Amino acid sequence: MDLSYIPIAENTIPDRIQTLDIYHVHHSRMTAKQKRSLGPAPLLYPEPALLIATYDANGKPNAMTAAWAGICASDPVSLMVAIQPPRHTHDALLTRKGFTVCVPSEKQVAETDYFGMASGKKYDKFAACGFTAIKAEHVDAPYIAECPVILECSLSNHQRIGTHTVIIAEILDVKADEDCLDASGSFPDIEKVLPIIFDCGSKNYFGIGKKIGKGWSIGKSLMSKK
Amino acid sequence: MDLSYIPIAENTIPDRIQTLDIYHVHHSRMTAKQKRSLGPAPLLYPEPALLIATYDANGKPNAMTAAWAGICASDPVSLMVAIQPPRHTHDALLTRKGFTVCVPSEKQVAETDYFGMASGKKYDKFAACGFTAIKAEHVDAPYIAECPVILECSLSNHQRIGTHTVIIAEILDVKADEDCLDASGSFPDIEKVLPIIFDCGSKNYFGIGKKIGKGWSIGKSLMSKK
């Protein structure tokens, strides 16, 4: 029996959404609850807390905290990061056409927060944190040696979207601490990296939790359903 | 004493990185460890596990799992999501010029995995999961009523980056389950939403962990340092 597109009984959905078109309701393990409209807001779950490192016009290593970033292609391997023009990192990145994405670990949460508050125009943030700036191998940018995972990124293109410049860059290399690698040695073990989650609502930082499922596996049982 | 730019003693850094330029090493609470170069790879920590929902050419609600997404502007509130052209969602999204980003909760990890494996060309994924498709208020797309947070997105522009189409869209509204809101009622409480983290290395899913710091606060002590 094809249960698709059967209108549901009116009394199973709260008043607020009864007026909307409802296409599928059947066998649900979960309840469709009443939703509140919050308006346009930059709320995505989860977001990363990353450090974007550049050399400024004077050659000083600098970095800023960024939560607005994501991978955007697998070949050429590329990522997106959004940066506001007034940030010291903005012009440095566009001038040098290179930067690194440094993935901080839980133990670096104070430094990660600081890199988002202090401006490189005024502070030597690497010095304040006791961080080691190492020149990247493939791009004109430093990386933070203390961060467990580093992405060396070369600017591909950029476009202005309102308040932000959306940077698209090619990832020329990933570097990771030897002791953070998976047993295969081919990628970082997330439970050794212990990356930081930024909660865009409360503005708090969280660690990662427990493994809840294996990809391309836990959903297989649903493949037999029509 | 300004400790910036003082070359470090050679024996404090492993052989592998001695040949690189090192600008700052002092007072570090953390050790700069030996790094392994892994080559270009789409590895970012953490990544989200999101469901991108659209109506296809026949008006059938469909969704796909996406980890490659991020907020990219605060005004107009916008986000980026990268989608491969062969995906059923790709043409639906570009034709309808609208989609929703549905944030699944931990308890929906099997469904989240399934939405990444099955194609909407062959399967009715909403039906298989018992998910409720509700027409979005502001865009020509459905949302998954069972997901705790929904972003209604309107296509702004798109560009091809190698393997993927990079979609930039304006977030016209965020909807969240009433019982997932923070006490203030103005944004979702991440500990009630319980979003899913995708580990791009191991391809496993993780939950969020403990709060490790308060933003614009835990890093304040470093502001007094030069």
Side-chain angles (χ1 to χ4, degrees), chain A residues 29 35 37 111 145 173 176, chain B residues 29 35-37 111 145 173 176:
Chain A
R29 294 196 289 115
K35 285 188 165 50
S37 179
E111 289 82 356
D173 192 26
Chain B
R29 294 195 291 113
K35 284 188 164 53
R36 188 185 299 183
S37 179
E111 289 81 357
D173 192 27

Side-chain angles (χ1 to χ4, degrees), chain A residues 4-5 24 29 35-39 60 111 113 145 147 173-174 176-178 203 205 207 209 212-213 215-216 219, chain B residues 5 29 35-39 60 111 113 124 132 145 147 173-174 176-178 203 205 207 209 212-213 215-216 219:
Chain A
S4 309
Y5 308 99
H24 294 88
R29 294 196 289 115
K35 285 188 165 50
R36 188 185 299 182
S37 179
L38 303 172
K60 185 181 78 172
E111 289 82 356
D113 191 44
C147 287
D173 192 26
V174 176
D177 284 348
E178 291 277 359
K203 314 294 184 200
Y205 302 99
I212 56 172
W216 285 267
Chain B
Y5 309 101
R29 294 195 291 113
K35 284 188 164 53
R36 188 185 299 183
S37 179
L38 303 171
K60 184 180 78 172
E111 289 81 357
D113 192 44
D124 184 335
T132 312
C147 288
D173 192 27
V174 176
D177 284 348
E178 291 277 358
K203 314 294 183 201
Y205 303 99
I212 56 171
W216 285 268

Side-chain angles (χ1 to χ4, degrees), chain B residues 70-143:
Chain B
I71 298 289
C72 67
S74 47
D75 187 15
V77 182
S78 304
L79 66 72
M80 178 283 301
V81 59
I83 300 177
Q84 283 186 292
R87 301 299 298 260
H88 194 52
T89 297
H90 185 271
D91 291 356
L93 190 160
L94 293 183
T95 304
R96 304 267 180 173
K97 301 189 193 311
F99 61 97
T100 64
V101 175
C102 308
V103 178
S105 191
E106 276 190 13
K107 65 185 174 189
Q108 294 156 341
V109 65
E111 289 81 357
T112 301
D113 192 44
Y114 166 76
F115 272 88
M117 288 191 290
S119 170
K121 288 173 187 163
K122 195 172 160 190
Y123 294 93
D124 184 335
K125 296 195 262 186
F126 274 73
C129 293
F131 274 169
T132 312
I134 296 184
K135 191 187 176 307
E137 196 178 354
H138 304 280
V139 294
D140 185 14
Y143 68 80

Side-chain angles (χ1 to χ4, degrees), chain B residues 32-77:
Chain B
K33 296 171 188 165
Q34 187 155 6
K35 284 188 164 53
R36 188 185 299 183
S37 179
L38 303 171
L43 298 168
L44 194 68
Y45 301 88
E47 286 183 346
L50 305 167
L51 299 172
I52 310 299
T54 51
Y55 289 122
D56 73 6
N58 300 317
K60 184 180 78 172
N62 184 44
M64 63 167 271
T65 313
W68 293 1
I71 298 289
C72 67
S74 47
D75 187 15
V77 182

Side-chain angles (χ1 to χ4, degrees), chain A residues 14-117:
Chain A
D15 286 346
R16 189 184 166 83
I17 55 176
Q18 276 195 23
T19 55
L20 301 169
D21 295 336
I22 293 168
Y23 289 91
H24 294 88
V25 176
H26 41 92
H27 305 318
S28 184
R29 294 196 289 115
M30 289 147 284
T31 315
K33 297 171 188 166
Q34 186 154 8
K35 285 188 165 50
R36 188 185 299 182
S37 179
L38 303 172
L43 297 169
L44 194 67
Y45 301 89
E47 286 184 346
L50 305 166
L51 299 172
I52 310 298
T54 51
Y55 289 123
D56 74 6
N58 300 316
K60 185 181 78 172
N62 184 45
M64 63 168 271
T65 313
W68 293 2
I71 298 290
C72 68
S74 46
D75 186 15
V77 182
S78 304
L79 68 71
M80 178 285 298
V81 59
I83 301 177
Q84 283 187 292
R87 301 300 297 260
H88 194 51
T89 297
H90 185 271
D91 292 355
L93 190 161
L94 293 183
T95 304
R96 304 267 179 173
K97 301 187 192 310
F99 61 97
T100 64
V101 175
C102 307
V103 178
S105 190
E106 276 190 14
K107 64 184 173 189
Q108 294 156 342
V109 66
E111 289 82 356
T112 301
D113 191 44
Y114 166 76
F115 271 89
M117 287 192 289

Side-chain angles (χ1 to χ4, degrees), chain A residues 49 103-113 146-148 190-197 205-209, chain B residues 29-30 207-213 218:
Chain A
V103 178
S105 190
E106 276 190 14
K107 64 184 173 189
Q108 294 156 342
V109 66
E111 289 82 356
T112 301
D113 191 44
E146 287 78 5
C147 287
I190 198 169
E191 292 182 280
K192 293 176 184 167
V193 172
L194 294 175
I196 302 171
I197 293 156
Y205 302 99
F206 286 79
I208 65 154
Chain B
R29 294 195 291 113
M30 289 146 283
I208 66 154
K210 289 182 183 162
K211 180 178 157 182
I212 56 171
I218 194 172

